[in-house]
């Protein structure tokens, strides 16, 4: 049985269910890299160029973690994941960066994923990827169909307001999770690889849960609605994340159902330097929702991170329980 390694970084946090189901249905053994940890980050940082952002360095570490354990490493070459939009240029080039700076790599599946022109390219990419495992086109088609079903089911769970890691823990049923209610809700905005990698964000979501806060992420919001709301801008945003973040914030402001907005960004992220400014400006101009941006890099200290988070949480609680939710910023 062919062993296919999947690095647990970057868009793994969006497409894990799709990729794992696809390769398993093709008969391959899927091996994931370890969860992000200090050693893995160190290995990645020592291999990668210093100018790269934290998620890219960590991705290097995940690839290194798989070397010697698998026959093939799957690291797709992402160009676009949505129509007429692109993703971060560093992520586009990460397969080449790794191949040119890492020795003794096994075979690499670096098929391009480019949905900018048409979603049909998704199937063509799946076909090329599947041919690394089998030449049976019908088998690839069936595997792709089942992978899509699993992926869409997971996205539906997310849109219902439940984080999938919570859904999968301890056999807790979806109905039980939905019955929980929280007095406070915070929106956590950021790329999937910063929001869902608990090492990068220092267990942010678990910390918020510990305070009794509910969490909303961009994956829980309607993407088509976000795209529609971006039409108020002079021109459509170039990046997929920009559309999701700006349109998502517009939805959150209108709903009035979040008590705070936290933005996670990586130091040196070119996309975020532009998008986060737009998002912050919109929040401050059109609402009195507390807003805070947390910048992450490999030197971030958890003590300082926790201090800022606690202050943010205390402010939200105080405003809602003692200040009758009147903004103190105006």
């Amino acid at each position: 049985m062919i062993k296919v390694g999947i690095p647990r970084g970057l868009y793994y946090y969006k497409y894990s269910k799709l990729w794992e189901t696809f390769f398993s249905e093709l008969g391959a053994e899927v091996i994931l890299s370890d969860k992000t940890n200090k050693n893995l980050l160190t290995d990645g940082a020592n291999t990668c160029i210093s100018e790269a952002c934290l998620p890219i360095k960590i991705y290097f570490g995940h690839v290194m973690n798989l070397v010697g354990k698998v026959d093939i490493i799957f690291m797709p070459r992402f160009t676009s994941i949505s129509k007429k939009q692109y993703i971060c240029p560093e992520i586009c080039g990460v397969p080449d960066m790794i191949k040119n700076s890492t020795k003794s790599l096994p075979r690499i599946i670096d098929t391009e994923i480019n949905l900018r022109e048409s979603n049909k390219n998704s199937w063509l990419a799946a076909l090329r990827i599947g041919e690394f495992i089998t030449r049976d086109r019908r088998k690839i088609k069936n595997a792709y169909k089942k992978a899509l079903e699993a992926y869409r089911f997971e996205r539906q769970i997310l849109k219902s307001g439940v984080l999938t890691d919570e859904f999968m823990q301890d056999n807790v049923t979806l109905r039980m999770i939905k019955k929980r209610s929280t007095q406070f809700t915070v929106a956590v905005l950021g790329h999937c690889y910063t929001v869902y990698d608990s090492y990068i964000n220092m267990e942010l979501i678990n910390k918020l849960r510990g305070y009794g806060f509910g969490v909303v992420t961009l994956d829980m919001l309607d993407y088509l609605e976000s795209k529609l709301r971006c039409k108020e801008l002079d021109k459509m945003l170039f990046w997929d994340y920009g559309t999701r973040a700006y349109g998502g914030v517009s939805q959150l402001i209108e709903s009035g159902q979040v008590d705070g907005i936290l933005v996670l960004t990586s130091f040196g992220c070119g996309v975020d330097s532009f998008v986060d400014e737009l998002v912050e400006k919109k929040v401050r101009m059109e609402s009195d929702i507390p807003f805070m941006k947390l910048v992450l890099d490999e030197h971030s200290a958890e003590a300082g991170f926790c201090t800022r988070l606690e202050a943010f949480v205390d402010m939200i609680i105080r405003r809602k329980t003692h200040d009758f939710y009147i903004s103190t910023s105006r």
Side-chain angles (χ1 to χ4, degrees), residues 10-11 13-14 55 81 88 91 155 158 163 186-197 200-201 204-205 208 215-221 239-249 252 260-267 269 271-273 275-276 279-280 291-296:
L10 298 181
Y11 280 101
Y13 290 98
K14 188 176 185 68
I81 59 171
C88 161
I91 294 179
R155 305 313 288 180
L158 267 170
L163 293 170
V186 168
V188 179
L189 311 186
H191 298 273
C192 58
Y193 40 85
T194 53
V195 171
Y196 300 125
D197 187 330
I200 287 183
N201 63 40
L204 173 64
I205 290 178
L208 287 170
V215 174
V216 173
T217 67
L218 291 176
D219 290 313
M220 297 175 185
L221 304 175
W239 303 285
D240 172 77
Y241 171 68
T243 300
R244 292 176 190 276
Y246 186 86
V249 156
L252 292 168
I261 296 176
L262 271 172
V263 172
L264 283 176
T265 183
S266 303
F267 178 75
C269 177
V271 174
D272 287 2
S273 65
V275 172
D276 290 351
V279 167
E280 183 173 0
F291 178 94
M292 183 169 75
K293 183 163 79 172
L294 294 167
V295 183
L296 306 167

Side-chain angles (χ1 to χ4, degrees), residues 85-96:
Q85 295 195 305
Y86 288 99
I87 61 165
C88 161
E90 277 195 35
I91 294 179
C92 294
V94 76
D96 290 327

Side-chain angles (χ1 to χ4, degrees), residues 152-164 166-167 173-180 215-222 257:
R152 287 169 179 161
F153 177 67
E154 186 185 59
R155 305 313 288 180
Q156 283 302 316
I157 292 174
L158 267 170
K159 283 187 177 177
S160 71
V162 178
L163 293 170
T164 47
E166 189 180 30
F167 173 56
T173 66
L174 191 59
R175 181 176 293 179
M176 286 174 65
I177 297 170
K178 279 185 172 179
K179 279 184 177 177
R180 292 180 198 163
V215 174
V216 173
T217 67
L218 291 176
D219 290 313
M220 297 175 185
L221 304 175
D222 188 330
Q257 293 182 347

